[in-house]
Amino acid sequence: MTRSTWFMLLLGAPAIALLLFGPRGAVHIPQGRVVVRYWEKWTGVEAEAMQRVVDEFNETIGHDEGIWIEYSSISDIDKRTMIAAAAGDPPDISGLDDRMVAQFADLDALLEIGDLVREFGIDGDKFKPTWWNIGEYKGGLYALPSTPFTIALYYNRAAYRAAGLDPDRPPRTTAELNDYAVKLTKKDERGRITQLGFTTSPLMLGWWHWAWPFFFDGQLWDGDRLRIDTPESRASFLWTQERRSRMGISAVESFESSSGAIEGAQNPFISGRLAMVFQGPWMSNWINHYNPDLDYAVAPFPSVTTERENVMASADVFVIPRAAPHPREAMRFLEFVMRQENLEEVCRAHCKVSPYRAPLERFEKDHPNPFIHVFDKMADSKYVFTCPRAPMFPEISQAMLVVLLDVLHADDPAKVDVAIEKGQRTIDLIVDAHQAKAARRAGR
Amino acid sequence: MAVSRTSLGVGLLWIAPWWLGFMMFLAIPLGISFYISLSEYPLLQPPLFVGAANYSTLAVDPVFHKVLYNTLLFSAAFIPLSTAAAIALAILVNQRLPGQPFFRACIFAPTIVPLVATAVVWMRLFNPETGPINETMAAAGIDGPLWLASPRWAIPSLVFVSLWGVGSPMVIYLAGLQEIPETLYEAARLDGANSVGRFRHVTLPGLSPVILFNVVMAIINALQIFALPYILWDTDPGPERAGYFYTSYLFDNAFRFLKFGYASAMGWIQLLLILGLTAFVFAVSRRTVYYRGA
């Protein structure tokens, strides 16, 4: 063989190997089935849990009724669903977050599924009202809860003991939480924080940086205006500023910007450098993985008084885009998924709570979060709040993040007022612009 | 000379791949984008013509002013610094010294590292407590800043990270340096020019067309900066919106806030800004750029 033949073989061999042994293409879809495209944001074990439900459906009901669910893990699912919907080719089911429902529903991009839900026998009364209502917008039902969660206070019991605090008595008010946070904060000889009591920095949170006014019995959105300059909101921002002043703002900022990502082994709560954190039930999955010996407990996050237990609730949800080609087949699948035994399998794999009023016995028994009952009970509170159902909330959320960042940086309460005032102006502009657009559309 | 209709048709057919591509992927989308910039368009509903409303809203939008300021400030720092650094490095690695290819490779290597990896490395370097930069400063008795978390240091930090990719223009400057005839240097030496004089009167004029090209490219890139801040500040605007830039806000308006009309208006202003600055640079270049043989 010539040198060039050898060279061609050398180049061609990997290609042939890839064809023979490489990844296979799409799963074979049996003939005659209606293909229902289901896009979901989950990956890893979370996606595997749903894939098991999909497989079971395809083998049983799907086989009998000629439906095939094609499950795809999609990143940036909100953007892709939106672009696909705009192009007239949306999936039949999309797995969004509850905070996107208002924005999508307001644009008439989602199917109102109330009638379909009743027709397919999904009984909303079996679900806790917190979770069932999370898919509602302006009186219509646009989403079903898939994996819900509340957000609670995780605290390090060993750190409590070391600071002379009772590990069985977490803080009961926001003022008490500040006192605990200061007691739990330790510094080295250079003044650098080695253990921080608590922080409201967005670096240590998810996307719920806007939640604090609710713990001061406040509301953000009244259906028309969104206000962060109310006495309750102001109290929440001052609460943050007061705590940071007592702990030393520059030392806290230095600690925060040095801490690792919340989703990993460097998470300062998991590594024992942060004594308390406001997080969801999935955090136990990370603790079990990275530091199973961590001595911690979970309690409802305190409110400004003990009279009201304000609770933050959120959920991943299923929606059917308005232009979905197979809404009835999609709802047939959702009816299967929403069966308690199926949905709770998924919720447990996601380390979240069950949306059902009475979870099955095995749900809590086998749950990876030993405190799941705390999260579950919190959803029963009369004072549950969710992401404001304002259609322009994604933009407002960013404006509120900027306010919080300014407050975190404020070394004087007067600067808090400046940040609130500036933020309120920005929010007013956003709301006004949205309402002007809505009026233009209405008068078209 | 008259061109027959047949030969015109054949000619157009031969260049069809270009003009079809130009129409489909540039001219028509540009026209649509301009129409959208005059509309209120949330993507999931049809565009609603609103005239110049998006442009007038931009004029009073404080976030728009902030991102424009940040972007111009970043560009004003980055363009001269990257130009000076790339020329200096090109001159250094143009010297006939042992290990010259190694040093060239070292300077060029960061440009082939993916941006995400670059950003992650710099985030470690900028860590205020455990990062090597502040550790070194602490050893010298200096309290290092918070870098990315500081409103004052956010843009300088981004300039440092962006300078990491200076190897790419450096290679072009290196090629430009090698195009300057050695005879010009010899003549300058004979005329008594020292190294500064040779740089000023031979190297800089010789390199001027390359400088023009690189400056125009730097203007385009700097005014469109997006990926690095997006990673460094984890898609957030950063403290006091110091890590928020023009294209980031444009992206958010389109894909997070579903304001495609507003985003398109921003896109057109960005295009005009780049065109204006490029035209200004070309106008200045008429007197400052030397083309050999022209």
Side-chain angles (χ1 to χ4, degrees):
Chain A
M1 276 199 289
T2 63
R3 192 183 290 179
S4 62
T5 312
W6 275 110
F7 186 65
M8 280 171 65
L9 276 176
L10 193 69
L11 285 178
I16 292 165
L18 192 70
L19 281 174
L20 290 176
F21 309 110
R24 300 290 99 188
V27 176
H28 170 68
I29 299 169
Q31 275 196 335
R33 301 260 193 122
V34 173
V35 178
V36 171
R37 287 189 301 156
Y38 169 26
W39 290 2
E40 192 48 270
K41 60 196 148 317
W42 303 322
T43 55
V45 289
E46 295 184 342
E48 285 166 18
M50 180 49 85
Q51 186 66 60
R52 282 193 292 274
V53 178
V54 168
D55 291 344
E56 195 186 333
F57 178 87
N58 283 340
E59 285 163 17
T60 56
I61 297 170
H63 176 268
D64 297 342
E65 299 185 14
I67 302 169
W68 180 269
I69 306 298
E70 191 181 64
Y71 175 84
S72 307
S73 287
I74 306 275
S75 61
D76 280 336
I77 191 154
D78 53 327
K79 298 183 185 72
R80 287 169 203 251
T81 299
M82 178 184 67
I83 291 166
D89 185 28
D92 295 291
I93 304 168
S94 182
L96 300 179
D97 294 326
D98 69 300
R99 64 185 192 274
M100 298 165 190
V101 171
Q103 189 188 26
F104 276 65
D106 192 65
L107 291 168
D108 205 21
L110 302 181
L111 197 66
E112 203 286 318
I113 54 176
D115 289 342
L116 271 178
V117 161
R118 279 185 290 279
E119 184 187 332
F120 280 83
I122 302 174
D123 184 1
D125 290 338
K126 288 185 178 170
F127 295 83
K128 288 190 178 182
T130 296
W131 305 126
W132 189 257
N133 298 342
I134 214 159
E136 289 181 347
Y137 178 68
K138 289 189 174 171
L141 184 67
Y142 291 91
L144 292 173
S146 59
T147 55
F149 55 93
T150 51
I151 305 286
L153 181 76
Y154 283 75
Y155 64 95
N156 185 322
R157 289 167 55 87
Y160 267 45
R161 278 192 288 271
L165 297 168
D166 179 356
D168 296 319
R169 194 198 174 285
R172 289 174 186 166
T173 62
T174 45
E176 206 168 64
L177 184 136
N178 271 8
D179 292 339
Y180 275 43
V182 173
K183 282 181 190 158
L184 287 161
T185 299
K186 292 186 197 165
K187 292 182 181 173
D188 65 12
E189 66 285 352
R190 283 172 60 189
R192 295 197 305 194
I193 291 175
T194 53
Q195 178 182 287
L196 186 67
F198 178 71
T199 177
T200 46
S201 162
L203 296 167
M204 299 299 133
L205 306 171
W207 41 265
W208 46 87
H209 54 265
W210 44 265
W212 309 110
F214 288 95
F215 291 103
F216 287 76
D217 302 347
Q219 291 291 322
L220 289 174
W221 175 245
D222 65 5
D224 182 49
R225 307 302 298 177
L226 194 139
R227 302 231 64 92
I228 60 164
D229 57 357
T230 58
E232 294 86 5
S233 283
R234 186 171 177 273
S236 77
F237 290 122
L238 286 172
W239 166 73
T240 288
Q241 198 274 335
E242 185 250 357
R243 182 182 59 255
R244 292 169 79 84
S245 296
R246 287 167 69 187
M247 296 191 295
I249 290 171
S250 60
V252 175
E253 284 187 330
S254 183
F255 176 91
E256 286 165 350
S257 44
S258 305
S259 298
I262 193 86
E263 293 179 29
Q266 289 178 317
N267 174 322
F269 181 80
I270 296 174
S271 64
R273 297 179 69 230
L274 180 63
M276 297 185 286
V277 69
F278 182 54
Q279 267 293 340
W282 53 81
M283 180 117 152
S284 287
N285 259 356
W286 303 339
I287 295 169
N288 296 341
H289 186 71
Y290 295 115
N291 188 4
D293 297 329
L294 187 72
D295 184 11
Y296 74 100
V298 173
F301 194 83
S303 293
V304 66
T305 63
T306 50
E307 277 86 65
R308 264 176 76 133
E309 187 184 281
N310 296 296
V311 171
M312 190 198 144
S314 184
D316 287 6
V317 296
F318 299 118
V319 299
I320 300 180
R322 176 163 293 282
H326 309 109
R328 298 186 66 77
E329 288 82 358
M331 188 52 75
R332 185 73 184 92
F333 171 66
L334 289 180
E335 182 276 318
F336 180 76
V337 176
M338 298 302 287
R339 291 178 188 177
Q340 188 162 7
E341 64 277 17
N342 292 335
L343 193 56
E344 287 189 348
E345 279 297 316
V346 177
C347 292
R348 187 170 49 213
H350 288 221
C351 203
K352 293 183 184 170
V353 300
S354 165
Y356 276 84
R357 284 181 191 269
L360 298 173
E361 198 179 314
R362 68 168 189 263
F363 178 74
E364 280 191 8
K365 212 174 83 184
D366 301 336
H367 202 284
N369 189 320
F371 302 97
I372 197 66
H373 57 282
V374 178
F375 291 95
D376 188 47
K377 191 166 173 296
M378 283 165 63
D380 297 330
S381 168
K382 271 199 301 183
Y383 302 106
V384 167
F385 66 89
T386 58
C387 181
R389 310 279 167 87
M392 74 303 283
F393 194 71
E395 198 172 356
I396 291 175
S397 168
Q398 195 191 66
M400 288 190 69
L401 175 61
V402 173
V403 174
L404 179 62
L405 290 170
D406 286 354
V407 168
L408 295 179
H409 200 58
D411 52 10
D412 180 348
K415 289 183 181 170
V416 173
D417 287 328
V418 173
I420 293 172
E421 198 185 315
K422 207 167 83 179
Q424 186 62 58
R425 274 202 305 273
T426 308
I427 289 168
D428 286 343
L429 282 175
I430 294 166
V431 175
D432 289 344
H434 183 86
Q435 288 174 345
K437 277 179 205 164
R440 275 198 294 269
R441 292 242 165 225
R444 193 181 183 186
Chain B
M1 192 175 69
V3 180
S4 75
R5 203 170 266 197
T6 316
S7 61
L8 177 67
V10 171
L12 285 174
L13 191 67
W14 277 106
I15 62 164
W18 180 85
W19 66 258
L20 275 177
F22 174 78
M23 293 303 288
M24 284 171 64
F25 299 116
L26 197 67
I28 294 173
L30 266 177
I32 293 172
S33 138
F34 184 66
Y35 174 71
I36 290 173
S37 81
L38 300 173
S39 311
E40 188 266 298
Y41 183 39
L43 195 65
L44 296 166
Q45 291 175 329
L48 182 67
F49 186 78
V50 291
N54 288 325
Y55 292 92
S56 53
T57 309
L58 279 170
V60 294
D61 179 353
V63 183
F64 175 73
H65 297 162
K66 179 70 180 174
V67 295
L68 184 61
Y69 170 79
N70 285 349
T71 308
L72 291 176
L73 188 64
F74 166 76
S75 306
F78 171 72
I79 296 168
L81 277 175
S82 67
T83 305
I87 292 173
L89 287 169
I91 291 170
L92 279 177
V93 296
N94 198 33
Q95 309 301 311
R96 291 195 184 88
L97 293 170
Q100 182 208 50
F102 171 76
F103 292 114
R104 285 181 184 177
C106 283
I107 295 165
F108 186 71
T111 64
I112 55 171
V113 175
L115 268 185
V116 176
T118 302
V120 170
V121 168
W122 276 96
M123 283 158 83
R124 291 285 170 99
L125 294 175
F126 281 138
N127 188 305
E129 286 191 357
T130 57
I133 298 175
N134 275 14
E135 288 280 322
T136 311
M137 290 171 81
I142 304 166
D143 245 358
L146 293 176
W147 299 109
L148 299 170
S150 155
R152 188 181 297 173
W153 282 95
I155 290 178
S157 305
L158 183 65
V159 173
F160 290 145
V161 181
S162 304
L163 286 175
W164 196 238
V166 85
S168 195
M170 181 212 73
V171 169
I172 302 172
Y173 284 122
L174 189 58
L177 283 173
Q178 290 169 358
E179 284 295 306
I180 301 172
E182 191 55 35
T183 49
L184 292 179
Y185 287 107
E186 283 168 11
R189 269 190 212 100
L190 287 174
D191 287 345
N194 58 16
S195 54
V196 175
R198 289 198 297 277
F199 175 75
R200 190 175 157 198
H201 298 292
V202 179
T203 308
L204 270 185
L207 267 187
S208 57
V210 183
I211 294 174
L212 173 66
F213 169 77
N214 275 330
V215 166
V216 169
M217 295 309 290
I219 287 172
I220 295 169
N221 291 330
L223 291 177
Q224 294 188 76
I225 185 144
F226 175 69
L228 267 178
Y230 197 74
I231 303 163
L232 288 173
W233 284 281
D234 194 17
T235 75
D236 287 337
E240 293 178 19
R241 286 201 171 93
Y244 206 33
F245 293 85
Y246 197 100
T247 311
S248 319
Y249 188 46
L250 190 158
F251 176 86
D252 282 346
N253 268 304
F255 293 101
R256 283 171 86 174
F257 313 151
L258 304 187
K259 292 157 70 175
F260 279 80
Y262 203 63
S264 295
M266 283 188 71
W268 273 92
I269 292 174
Q270 189 178 35
L271 176 69
L272 293 177
L273 194 61
I274 291 172
L275 279 178
L277 282 172
T278 307
F280 172 74
V281 169
F282 270 101
V284 171
S285 75
R286 281 199 203 110
R287 281 184 299 160
T288 53
V289 173
Y290 163 77
Y291 292 100
R292 209 149 31 96

